[in-house]
Amino acid sequence: MPRPVLPAAALLVLLAPLAAEDVPQERGVDVLPAVKQAYTWATRKPDPAKPWANDLAALTDHEPMVHAQAIRNLIMAGAKVLPDLEVIAGDLDWRIRGRVAQAAAGIGGSAAAPLVVRLSRDPDPKVREAATLALGRCSGPGVRERLEELLAASESGIREKAAQGLGALGDVRAMAALCAYPLDGDDVVKREMGQALARLAATPAGVAEAVRLFGRDGLAGEPRDALIGAVAGVGDPRLCPPLAAVAAAPGPRATAWTVFAALKALDENGDSRAWEVLARTAADHPQAEMRQAAAGSLAVLTGFNAGPGKTWLVWWADHQAEAAARVRVDTALAAWHDPATTPAREQLAAFTVAELRPLLDAALARNAERLAPWWPERAWRLIAADDPTRWAAALADEAIALPTSEVRDRLALIAMIERLDDRAQAVGALRRVQADLVRRSASEAARAEKTASAAPDHTAERQLLALILDRLDPPKR
């Protein structure tokens, strides 16, 4: 712990016996300089230019409570302490270098990256492990590359921390390296690499990177299987063409699992562009498991429930023209899953509201478990960017068509109508919904009276409509 600050008088009392014991008085040794030095040390004030100086010193303290508090203080001080940490990072004691790595990890960002990269090459494996994990909190050139290098370290603990760091870093370019996790010999490292890969794959940029990797020469065997598993539940149709291609022609180094995993992954990432591959596989694949997987995915995508067998060839013959017509809109919807893609209103107008029905279903979070996490909000933004004239009517029609029990969706539709960029259209649509509620309530009340039961409660919808209409179309006074 840091030495307690003692009054000068107490120091004189303590030092006098030591002087008398260590240096005989007859030699005439002057102890006053020593006393002055001790007094200066005990009464020193923090350097106003470096108020963290004491914390730097405390990093060398053996007491965990002391150096842990110093690390916290240095982190709170921020990037300005990094030059001093650079100096201390050269200490001969590996434990102090490890504490420097912890402080740099807390500071993070691009400023801390050079120091942490340096510490990741420390001769002591414990320091390298701490620095490897710290790299995940840094940013800038060389960070991802260094973490990928550390995935090949001989120490499993360092590989584990490198995987965790890559997952925390969020750079989807690391997915190629993480796909190699089945080849690692350590189960813990495999788990961490697999989790990091799945985390990156479940992002808009991660999907785009996965599509690129599927088309890259050399990705095959277990790494490709790992990528298929990582994207299986994402719910982004941008993945449909590459997954269908793997299912149809898996290529060299593929196993039965490769095809099976691709077929299963199409149930959440597929669309009409996968119908033919799935139908032919469900009908003709020599392995029963493959036929069953294809039939299951096709049933999810089309709503037609049939077991594996030749029935799917008949179905495909009947729906081939429909698939050809749907490919155009499905291709557009898939491209719009990318937040970097912003279609103009003219592009949206190229499709009817009926063709864009998947946007409304997504905005209402229907079958949310099959949707990419970012798609419902993005689908609403696409609706809002389109012509409000046609969407006001469509949203009102949907609200009116809903069963009475679907209160959540009706409230959501009312809120969507309010947010359209055309007040007049919104007011007209909301008045239609309001009139329907009046009719619906009267009919339900009459039915309830006949059956001596309670009528459904529409208070929430009525109040929301009243508040919105009062704001958009206040009564004239």
Side-chain angles (χ1 to χ4, degrees):
M1 297 181 65
R3 298 180 181 85
V5 177
L6 299 175
L11 285 170
L12 287 171
V13 171
L14 289 172
L15 288 171
L18 290 174
E21 181 176 317
D22 296 339
V23 185
Q25 291 295 318
E26 61 267 26
R27 294 186 181 180
V29 175
D30 185 4
V31 297
L32 190 57
V35 172
K36 288 181 177 179
Q37 184 177 7
Y39 178 79
T40 301
W41 175 86
T43 59
R44 72 192 188 283
K45 295 180 180 179
D47 182 353
K50 289 187 177 181
W52 58 87
N54 287 347
D55 294 312
L56 293 171
L59 284 181
T60 66
D61 199 293
H62 295 300
E63 287 290 335
M65 290 182 63
V66 176
H67 61 245
Q69 184 60 52
I71 291 171
R72 285 193 290 271
N73 293 343
L74 290 166
I75 291 171
M76 292 179 67
K80 56 182 175 287
V81 307
L82 288 169
D84 291 327
L85 289 177
E86 286 271 5
V87 176
I88 298 175
D91 197 282
L92 295 177
D93 190 334
W94 70 266
R95 291 166 297 186
I96 295 174
R97 301 196 303 275
R99 292 164 201 162
V100 170
Q102 292 178 55
I107 295 168
S110 58
L115 171 57
V116 178
V117 169
R118 168 188 162 189
L119 288 169
S120 74
R121 296 186 170 91
D122 194 272
D124 190 280
K126 295 185 180 65
V127 178
R128 293 201 303 276
E129 189 170 323
T132 301
L133 187 58
L135 279 170
R137 297 176 175 270
C138 296
S139 60
V143 172
R144 173 185 56 83
E145 292 84 352
R146 180 57 183 151
L147 282 169
E148 290 181 6
E149 289 175 7
L150 291 164
L151 279 179
S154 58
E155 302 91 346
S156 62
I158 292 177
R159 298 199 307 278
E160 176 190 348
K161 297 301 185 294
Q164 292 173 354
L166 286 169
L169 188 64
D171 189 333
V172 298
R173 291 174 295 176
M175 289 171 59
L178 291 168
C179 281
Y181 79 81
L183 307 178
D184 196 283
D186 187 279
D187 288 341
V188 175
V189 178
K190 283 183 180 180
R191 182 194 66 205
E192 293 296 338
M193 289 178 69
Q195 289 178 349
L197 176 61
R199 184 183 308 167
L200 294 175
T203 64
V207 171
E209 179 66 7
V211 171
R212 189 189 71 81
L213 289 174
F214 276 123
R216 194 180 77 173
D217 292 338
L219 184 70
E222 290 183 286
R224 184 174 61 175
D225 292 350
L227 185 59
I228 294 171
V231 302
V234 172
D236 192 318
R238 285 181 289 170
L239 293 160
C240 179
L243 288 171
V246 171
R253 293 174 57 196
T255 65
W257 173 254
T258 305
V259 177
F260 181 81
L263 292 169
K264 293 288 288 182
L266 282 167
D267 69 349
E268 292 196 21
N269 301 288
D271 55 34
S272 61
R273 295 171 292 174
W275 286 5
E276 182 176 7
V277 169
L278 290 171
R280 296 193 183 284
T281 304
D284 293 331
H285 200 283
Q287 292 181 266
E289 293 84 0
M290 303 300 179
R291 296 195 301 273
Q292 184 64 55
S297 292
L298 201 47
V300 171
L301 296 178
T302 66
F304 180 72
N305 289 297
K310 299 295 184 181
T311 302
W312 285 110
L313 291 181
V314 177
W315 179 91
W316 172 242
D318 292 340
H319 291 81
Q320 191 169 352
E322 179 188 346
R326 290 184 57 163
V327 163
R328 186 176 68 97
V329 66
D330 282 346
T331 301
L333 289 169
W336 296 342
H337 271 68
D338 183 356
T341 301
T342 306
R345 182 171 287 189
E346 295 74 28
Q347 292 174 283
L348 293 162
F351 303 98
T352 66
V353 171
E355 288 176 317
L356 296 180
R357 174 63 190 236
L359 290 179
L360 179 54
D361 290 336
L364 291 170
R366 291 170 176 166
N367 296 316
E369 68 281 356
R370 298 188 62 247
L371 303 176
W374 60 89
W375 182 232
E377 175 61 23
R378 178 149 176 79
W380 157 248
R381 292 186 181 279
L382 291 168
I383 291 172
D386 199 359
D387 183 358
T389 302
R390 62 180 189 160
W391 279 104
L395 296 174
D397 289 344
E398 181 72 12
I400 292 168
L402 285 175
T404 292
S405 59
E406 298 293 335
V407 176
R408 183 195 73 90
D409 279 5
R410 191 158 35 251
L411 289 170
L413 287 161
I414 291 168
M416 288 179 186
I417 294 171
E418 179 199 11
R419 294 169 65 188
L420 291 175
D421 189 25
D422 189 316
R423 177 175 293 193
Q425 292 292 331
V427 169
L430 290 170
R431 293 290 185 200
R432 286 180 56 211
V433 177
Q434 189 178 51
D436 172 71
L437 275 177
V438 171
R439 291 191 298 269
R440 189 187 298 243
S441 297
S443 173
E444 290 167 349
R447 191 179 309 116
E449 187 175 358
K450 288 181 181 180
T451 59
S453 59
D457 185 5
H458 293 290
T459 302
E461 297 116 295
R462 283 205 194 95
Q463 288 184 344
L464 181 60
L465 279 164
L467 286 170
I468 293 173
L469 286 169
D470 189 57
R471 183 165 58 250
L472 296 182
D473 188 28
K476 295 179 175 60
R477 303 186 188 279

